[in-house]
Amino acid sequence: MTPEFEQGPIRPPSEAHSLLVRVVRNCPWNKCAFCPVYKRRKPSSRPTEDVLADVDAMAAAADEIRRRADDPLVGFRLALRDGAVPDEAGQVALFLGAGGRSAFLQDADPCAVPAAKLAAIVRRVRERFPGLERVTTYARASTLAKKSAEDLRSVAQAGLTRVHVGLESGSDEVLARVKKGTTAAQEIDAGRKALGAGFELCFYVMPGLGGTEGSAEHVRGTAAVIRAVASAAPAERPLFVRLRTTAVAPGVPLWEEREAGRFELPDDVETAREIRGLLEAVGDARFELVSDHSLNLLPELEGSLPADRERLLAVVDELLGLPEGERASFALGRRIGAYWTLADRDDVRRRAAVERATAALGARTAQ
């Protein structure tokens, strides 16, 4: 059997078919009040030789999968059946099936390791998988802000192409409340440094994170950070802003705040209004907006700002203009996967599926 290798628990939705290389375990900060992923898990930086060995193991698994069949998923199933590859090679098969174009370095903050170590890992990934078009990773804003421009450039030159940064909010008040461990000034510094080093930059913004009371400040601060960083992005590498609607999982500190009545999560209407406010507050900032998470009620909120602002505002206004019952029906349809866009409400079969789900939900509620 080809050697086993480690894989971490999460990756961005846009990296679903990427090769996953675990550089660090868990999260070195691990105090964010909204995040359930790494709680009660100790962080550690994996030895360089272990990570390089994992990359070699993935390459061996890829060779075995290709040898078995032209279709990578078929090749994986055959190789797994024969005990030729470990279970985790399924991700390698997904990577191959998508064309083998991207790799993602895990877990929460691989940029926290020394630049020379990260560069060595990136180079090995690209050596073993020469067809890669991009190599990406998560990075904390506070980490990037502390790195020298020279260190960041050295990693970019080794072949790391994109960093995903959890901005969450640009409000110092909100950031402090959710214990993000960074400030708006650090976020701006980090974003400008990343762009200056040659990276593509993806900011993740969490509508609703300020709660109902802090919504206006959340929008104001977040828009200010986006404007400040977007202005530093070259024409060929615009800033990306990805929406991640806030959800509060049981057991995280923000859940306890909510249960105690100290935090109120905005409802769908309030969240839509907040996003509308953000679209207006960013002014003429140039960036790409992406809504690629299952929690987002409006995945069609994607486009180039400022050119697409009016179209995007119209999408939000269409939702806000629906009668309350129709809006609730659409929200249910989105969450059961029957609807993707607002226009899907006109599809007879999709609407029937939502009506059946509504009836079933009403019956259970009445019991």
Side-chain angles (χ1 to χ4, degrees), residues 147-223:
K147 291 285 185 179
S148 70
E150 181 181 0
D151 277 350
L152 292 177
R153 280 196 299 270
S154 71
V155 178
Q157 289 166 359
L160 186 69
T161 55
R162 178 188 296 175
V163 288
H164 297 265
V165 177
L167 183 76
E168 329 305 6
S169 176
S171 161
D172 283 336
E173 180 181 318
V174 174
L175 291 169
R177 180 170 189 174
V178 300
K179 297 180 172 59
K180 181 64 184 175
T182 191
T183 64
Q186 284 181 315
E187 291 175 335
I188 293 170
D189 187 25
R192 286 176 168 267
K193 274 186 173 179
L195 291 168
F199 296 123
E200 296 176 355
L201 175 62
C202 292
F203 270 163
Y204 291 79
V205 169
M206 297 180 66
L209 190 61
T212 54
E213 290 186 1
S215 178
E217 171 60 18
H218 180 38
V219 168
R220 185 205 63 77
T222 303

